[in-house]
Amino acid sequence: MLTSRARRTLEAVDGQTLAEMRALRDETERFMMRYKFGMDEVITKLSILREEFSQAHDYNPIEHVSSRLKTIDSVMEKVERKGVEPSFEAISETITDIAGVRVTCSFVSDAYRIFNLLAAQKDVSVVQVKDYIGNPKPNGYKSLHAIVEVPVFLSTGAVPVTVEVQIRTIAMDFWASLEHKIYYKYDRQVPAELLDGLTQAARTASELDENMERLHREAHGLPRASPAIEA
Ligand code: 0O2
């Protein structure tokens, strides 16, 4: 429902400007849709891996998969913050996390296993990997981040689409979501004692991950693993 002021503004816009505005709206919708399709493809790949792995190995390495598409406002905020030229081409080349998929696993070795299985697929190209599990952030943040490119097949042909995939354990995810809420609550000015508490909690979460994986291995008679990204 338009306000009378908005209606008056629209009435003052000439036909050509209105047509250009509509064309831009349609192009923006098409641009964002590609990311949704790319995200759906990655989710399907993960569902297949999850189901097939469970069937073949009687074990499920994926606990949970969630996804989010950035809003146009959030994309534009990042475009401004990073000083990116506001064209669809420049945005698609520079902003690689418009589509995001988060995978939660039980164990650290599963996080690397899922990444390696996804990266080995023929139609998946790995653009960038940030291994914050092997190299945690100073605040204790741990997660395996990958920017992958998948082809999306449209009626006009195939287009490559980037999707950010974050893979982590339940303990890492629990920590990251609390840390995110605390940062949001304090508008990034988190009191020092809370920051110390978060760093300590990150250590506890890592210890929990190590202990749980050791127990799992012992219970199943599995050898000690040194999980890593496969070339
Ligand atoms: P959202 O809403 O989750 O997308 P860049 O993405 O290039 O601007 P950067 O830091 O180079 O920034 O990317 P990086 O390191 O791959 O991290 C991007 C995302 O990882 C963040 O996205 C968070 O989701 C997550 N992340 C990174 N560091 C932390 C951290 O210290 N704590 C928590 N809780 N999450 C983190 P966005 O864009 O911030 O938000």
Side-chain angles (χ1 to χ4, degrees), residues 68 70 78 81-82 96-97 102 128 130 132 137 139 141 145 147 164 166 168 175-177 179-180 188:
R68 67 104 186 91
K70 267 192 190 296
K78 195 158 181 178
R81 180 159 49 85
K82 299 221 157 196
T96 50
D97 65 344
R102 187 170 290 156
Q128 184 192 62
K130 288 185 192 169
Y132 294 126
K137 284 195 160 184
N139 62 357
Y141 177 77
H145 289 194
I147 305 294
E164 185 192 64
Q166 297 183 351
R168 55 207 195 200
W175 183 90
S177 87
E179 192 256 8
H180 184 78
R188 293 178 185 270

Short mmCIF file of all heavy atoms in Angstrom, two decimals, residues 68 70 78 81-82 96-97 102 128 130 132 137 139 141 145 147 164 166 168 175-177 179-180 188, ligand 1:
data_model
loop_
_atom_site.label_atom_id
_atom_site.label_comp_id
_atom_site.label_asym_id
_atom_site.label_seq_id
_atom_site.Cartn_x
_atom_site.Cartn_y
_atom_site.Cartn_z
N ARG A 68 21.54 -19.03 3.87
CA ARG A 68 20.95 -17.69 3.85
C ARG A 68 21.41 -16.95 2.59
O ARG A 68 22.52 -17.15 2.09
CB ARG A 68 21.27 -16.89 5.11
CG ARG A 68 22.74 -16.52 5.30
CD ARG A 68 22.99 -15.03 4.97
NE ARG A 68 24.40 -14.68 5.01
CZ ARG A 68 25.21 -14.73 3.97
NH1 ARG A 68 24.78 -15.18 2.80
NH2 ARG A 68 26.46 -14.34 4.08
N LYS A 70 21.97 -13.17 1.17
CA LYS A 70 22.07 -11.79 1.68
C LYS A 70 20.90 -10.98 1.13
O LYS A 70 20.46 -11.21 0.00
CB LYS A 70 23.38 -11.15 1.20
CG LYS A 70 24.53 -11.29 2.18
CD LYS A 70 25.67 -10.37 1.77
CE LYS A 70 26.94 -10.60 2.54
NZ LYS A 70 26.89 -10.34 3.96
N LYS A 78 27.73 -3.83 1.77
CA LYS A 78 29.08 -4.39 1.59
C LYS A 78 29.76 -3.76 0.37
O LYS A 78 30.97 -3.52 0.39
CB LYS A 78 28.99 -5.91 1.44
CG LYS A 78 30.30 -6.60 1.62
CD LYS A 78 30.17 -8.05 1.99
CE LYS A 78 31.53 -8.68 2.18
NZ LYS A 78 31.45 -10.07 2.60
N ARG A 81 30.96 -0.45 1.63
CA ARG A 81 32.05 -0.61 2.59
C ARG A 81 33.35 -1.01 1.89
O ARG A 81 34.42 -0.56 2.24
CB ARG A 81 31.62 -1.67 3.62
CG ARG A 81 32.64 -1.96 4.71
CD ARG A 81 32.00 -2.59 5.93
NE ARG A 81 31.13 -3.71 5.64
CZ ARG A 81 31.52 -4.96 5.49
NH1 ARG A 81 32.80 -5.24 5.59
NH2 ARG A 81 30.66 -5.91 5.22
N LYS A 82 33.23 -1.85 0.84
CA LYS A 82 34.44 -2.34 0.16
C LYS A 82 34.83 -1.47 -1.03
O LYS A 82 35.79 -1.77 -1.74
CB LYS A 82 34.23 -3.78 -0.31
CG LYS A 82 33.95 -4.74 0.85
CD LYS A 82 34.66 -6.05 0.67
CE LYS A 82 34.85 -6.73 1.98
NZ LYS A 82 35.81 -7.78 1.99
N THR A 96 31.59 -12.38 -2.69
CA THR A 96 31.49 -13.83 -2.93
C THR A 96 30.61 -14.54 -1.89
O THR A 96 30.52 -15.76 -1.89
CB THR A 96 32.89 -14.46 -2.96
OG1 THR A 96 33.59 -14.02 -1.80
CG2 THR A 96 33.66 -14.09 -4.20
N ASP A 97 30.03 -13.76 -0.97
CA ASP A 97 29.21 -14.43 0.06
C ASP A 97 27.74 -14.01 -0.01
O ASP A 97 27.06 -13.96 1.02
CB ASP A 97 29.78 -14.18 1.46
CG ASP A 97 29.71 -12.71 1.86
OD1 ASP A 97 29.51 -11.86 0.96
OD2 ASP A 97 29.81 -12.41 3.06
N ARG A 102 25.77 -23.13 5.60
CA ARG A 102 26.52 -23.52 6.80
C ARG A 102 26.25 -25.00 7.12
O ARG A 102 25.08 -25.41 7.17
CB ARG A 102 26.12 -22.64 7.97
CG ARG A 102 26.97 -22.86 9.18
CD ARG A 102 26.72 -21.81 10.24
NE ARG A 102 27.21 -20.50 9.83
CZ ARG A 102 26.74 -19.35 10.32
NH1 ARG A 102 25.76 -19.35 11.20
NH2 ARG A 102 27.25 -18.20 9.92
N GLN A 128 38.44 -20.22 -3.04
CA GLN A 128 39.25 -19.81 -1.89
C GLN A 128 38.91 -20.67 -0.68
O GLN A 128 37.75 -21.05 -0.50
CB GLN A 128 38.91 -18.34 -1.56
CG GLN A 128 39.73 -17.74 -0.45
CD GLN A 128 39.13 -16.41 -0.01
OE1 GLN A 128 38.01 -16.35 0.46
NE2 GLN A 128 39.89 -15.34 -0.19
N LYS A 130 39.59 -20.75 3.60
CA LYS A 130 40.18 -20.17 4.82
C LYS A 130 39.98 -21.20 5.91
O LYS A 130 38.83 -21.47 6.30
CB LYS A 130 39.50 -18.86 5.19
CG LYS A 130 39.82 -17.70 4.28
CD LYS A 130 39.19 -16.44 4.83
CE LYS A 130 39.23 -15.31 3.83
NZ LYS A 130 38.38 -14.19 4.27
N TYR A 132 40.03 -21.75 9.31
CA TYR A 132 40.08 -21.22 10.67
C TYR A 132 39.98 -22.36 11.71
O TYR A 132 39.90 -22.08 12.90
CB TYR A 132 38.93 -20.23 10.92
CG TYR A 132 39.01 -18.96 10.10
CD1 TYR A 132 37.94 -18.56 9.31
CD2 TYR A 132 40.15 -18.16 10.12
CE1 TYR A 132 37.99 -17.39 8.55
CE2 TYR A 132 40.21 -16.99 9.36
CZ TYR A 132 39.12 -16.61 8.59
OH TYR A 132 39.19 -15.46 7.85
N LYS A 137 40.98 -17.87 14.56
CA LYS A 137 41.15 -16.42 14.68
C LYS A 137 41.61 -16.10 16.11
O LYS A 137 41.37 -16.90 17.02
CB LYS A 137 39.81 -15.74 14.41
CG LYS A 137 39.46 -15.69 12.93
CD LYS A 137 38.34 -14.70 12.71
CE LYS A 137 38.28 -14.26 11.28
NZ LYS A 137 37.27 -13.23 11.04
N ASN A 139 40.39 -14.41 18.39
CA ASN A 139 39.31 -14.47 19.39
C ASN A 139 38.85 -15.91 19.68
O ASN A 139 38.02 -16.13 20.55
CB ASN A 139 38.10 -13.63 18.94
CG ASN A 139 37.48 -14.13 17.63
OD1 ASN A 139 37.98 -15.08 17.02
ND2 ASN A 139 36.40 -13.50 17.21
N TYR A 141 37.64 -17.99 17.17
CA TYR A 141 36.70 -18.46 16.13
C TYR A 141 37.32 -19.58 15.31
O TYR A 141 38.45 -19.46 14.83
CB TYR A 141 36.32 -17.28 15.22
CG TYR A 141 35.41 -17.66 14.08
CD1 TYR A 141 34.05 -17.87 14.28
CD2 TYR A 141 35.91 -17.81 12.77
CE1 TYR A 141 33.21 -18.22 13.23
CE2 TYR A 141 35.08 -18.15 11.72
CZ TYR A 141 33.73 -18.35 11.96
OH TYR A 141 32.90 -18.70 10.91
N HIS A 145 36.12 -22.25 6.03
CA HIS A 145 35.37 -21.43 5.07
C HIS A 145 35.84 -21.74 3.65
O HIS A 145 37.05 -21.76 3.41
CB HIS A 145 35.62 -19.94 5.30
CG HIS A 145 35.00 -19.39 6.55
ND1 HIS A 145 34.88 -18.06 6.80
CD2 HIS A 145 34.47 -20.02 7.62
CE1 HIS A 145 34.29 -17.87 7.96
NE2 HIS A 145 34.04 -19.05 8.49
N ILE A 147 34.97 -20.67 -0.51
CA ILE A 147 34.16 -20.04 -1.56
C ILE A 147 34.22 -21.02 -2.73
O ILE A 147 35.31 -21.33 -3.23
CB ILE A 147 34.74 -18.67 -2.02
CG1 ILE A 147 34.94 -17.71 -0.84
CG2 ILE A 147 33.87 -18.05 -3.11
CD1 ILE A 147 33.69 -17.25 -0.16
N GLU A 164 29.37 -19.22 -0.54
CA GLU A 164 30.27 -19.38 0.60
C GLU A 164 29.78 -20.55 1.46
O GLU A 164 28.62 -20.58 1.85
CB GLU A 164 30.32 -18.12 1.46
CG GLU A 164 31.35 -18.25 2.58
CD GLU A 164 31.26 -17.16 3.64
OE1 GLU A 164 30.23 -17.09 4.34
OE2 GLU A 164 32.22 -16.40 3.77
N GLN A 166 30.44 -22.57 4.94
CA GLN A 166 31.12 -22.60 6.25
C GLN A 166 30.84 -23.96 6.88
O GLN A 166 29.69 -24.37 7.00
CB GLN A 166 30.56 -21.53 7.19
CG GLN A 166 30.77 -20.10 6.70
CD GLN A 166 30.27 -19.05 7.70
OE1 GLN A 166 29.62 -19.37 8.69
NE2 GLN A 166 30.57 -17.81 7.42
N ARG A 168 31.63 -26.45 10.21
CA ARG A 168 32.18 -26.48 11.56
C ARG A 168 31.49 -27.51 12.43
O ARG A 168 30.46 -28.08 12.03
CB ARG A 168 32.10 -25.10 12.21
CG ARG A 168 30.73 -24.46 12.25
CD ARG A 168 30.95 -22.97 12.29
NE ARG A 168 29.80 -22.19 12.67
CZ ARG A 168 29.69 -20.90 12.39
NH1 ARG A 168 30.64 -20.27 11.74
NH2 ARG A 168 28.64 -20.22 12.76
N TRP A 175 29.56 -21.82 19.90
CA TRP A 175 30.41 -20.69 20.32
C TRP A 175 30.20 -19.49 19.38
O TRP A 175 30.00 -18.38 19.84
CB TRP A 175 31.90 -21.12 20.32
CG TRP A 175 32.80 -20.04 20.79
CD1 TRP A 175 33.21 -19.82 22.07
CD2 TRP A 175 33.39 -18.99 19.99
NE1 TRP A 175 34.01 -18.70 22.12
CE2 TRP A 175 34.13 -18.17 20.87
CE3 TRP A 175 33.35 -18.66 18.64
CZ2 TRP A 175 34.84 -17.05 20.43
CZ3 TRP A 175 34.05 -17.55 18.21
CH2 TRP A 175 34.78 -16.76 19.10
N ALA A 176 30.25 -19.74 18.05
CA ALA A 176 30.16 -18.64 17.07
C ALA A 176 28.82 -17.92 17.17
O ALA A 176 28.76 -16.70 17.05
CB ALA A 176 30.37 -19.18 15.66
N SER A 177 27.75 -18.68 17.44
CA SER A 177 26.45 -18.01 17.47
C SER A 177 26.32 -17.17 18.74
O SER A 177 25.78 -16.07 18.69
CB SER A 177 25.31 -19.01 17.26
OG SER A 177 24.92 -19.56 18.45
N GLU A 179 28.92 -15.78 20.35
CA GLU A 179 29.85 -14.66 20.17
C GLU A 179 29.23 -13.59 19.27
O GLU A 179 29.33 -12.40 19.54
CB GLU A 179 31.16 -15.20 19.56
CG GLU A 179 32.30 -14.23 19.58
CD GLU A 179 32.57 -13.62 18.22
OE1 GLU A 179 31.79 -13.83 17.28
OE2 GLU A 179 33.57 -12.92 18.11
N HIS A 180 28.54 -14.05 18.21
CA HIS A 180 27.89 -13.13 17.28
C HIS A 180 26.82 -12.30 18.00
O HIS A 180 26.73 -11.09 17.84
CB HIS A 180 27.29 -13.94 16.14
CG HIS A 180 26.67 -13.11 15.07
ND1 HIS A 180 27.41 -12.47 14.12
CD2 HIS A 180 25.37 -12.81 14.80
CE1 HIS A 180 26.60 -11.80 13.32
NE2 HIS A 180 25.35 -12.00 13.71
N ARG A 188 29.78 -4.23 19.04
CA ARG A 188 31.21 -4.52 18.85
C ARG A 188 32.12 -4.01 19.99
O ARG A 188 33.31 -4.27 19.97
CB ARG A 188 31.73 -3.99 17.50
CG ARG A 188 31.08 -4.74 16.36
CD ARG A 188 31.50 -4.24 15.00
NE ARG A 188 30.75 -4.95 13.99
CZ ARG A 188 31.14 -6.09 13.44
NH1 ARG A 188 32.30 -6.62 13.78
NH2 ARG A 188 30.39 -6.70 12.54
P1 0O2 B 1 27.13 -13.18 7.85
O1 0O2 B 1 25.81 -12.57 8.12
O2 0O2 B 1 27.35 -14.46 8.61
O3 0O2 B 1 27.41 -13.32 6.39
P2 0O2 B 1 34.42 -10.54 4.16
O4 0O2 B 1 33.29 -11.55 4.12
O5 0O2 B 1 35.38 -10.66 3.02
O6 0O2 B 1 33.91 -9.14 4.38
P3 0O2 B 1 36.25 -11.74 5.93
O7 0O2 B 1 36.44 -11.50 7.41
O8 0O2 B 1 37.46 -11.70 5.07
O9 0O2 B 1 35.15 -10.75 5.49
O10 0O2 B 1 35.58 -13.15 5.67
P4 0O2 B 1 35.69 -14.44 6.53
O11 0O2 B 1 36.86 -14.39 7.43
O12 0O2 B 1 35.62 -15.57 5.55
O13 0O2 B 1 34.38 -14.37 7.44
C1 0O2 B 1 33.13 -14.20 6.88
C2 0O2 B 1 32.03 -14.80 7.74
O14 0O2 B 1 32.55 -15.73 8.71
C3 0O2 B 1 31.30 -13.78 8.58
O15 0O2 B 1 30.28 -13.27 7.79
C4 0O2 B 1 30.76 -14.63 9.73
O16 0O2 B 1 29.63 -15.38 9.32
C5 0O2 B 1 31.88 -15.60 9.95
N1 0O2 B 1 32.88 -15.11 10.92
C6 0O2 B 1 34.15 -14.71 10.64
N2 0O2 B 1 34.79 -14.36 11.75
C7 0O2 B 1 33.93 -14.55 12.78
C8 0O2 B 1 34.04 -14.36 14.20
O17 0O2 B 1 35.05 -13.94 14.75
N3 0O2 B 1 32.92 -14.67 14.92
C9 0O2 B 1 31.77 -15.14 14.37
N4 0O2 B 1 30.74 -15.40 15.18
N5 0O2 B 1 31.64 -15.31 13.03
C10 0O2 B 1 32.71 -15.02 12.26
P5 0O2 B 1 29.63 -11.85 8.02
O18 0O2 B 1 29.66 -11.13 6.73
O19 0O2 B 1 30.27 -11.17 9.20
O20 0O2 B 1 28.16 -12.15 8.43
#
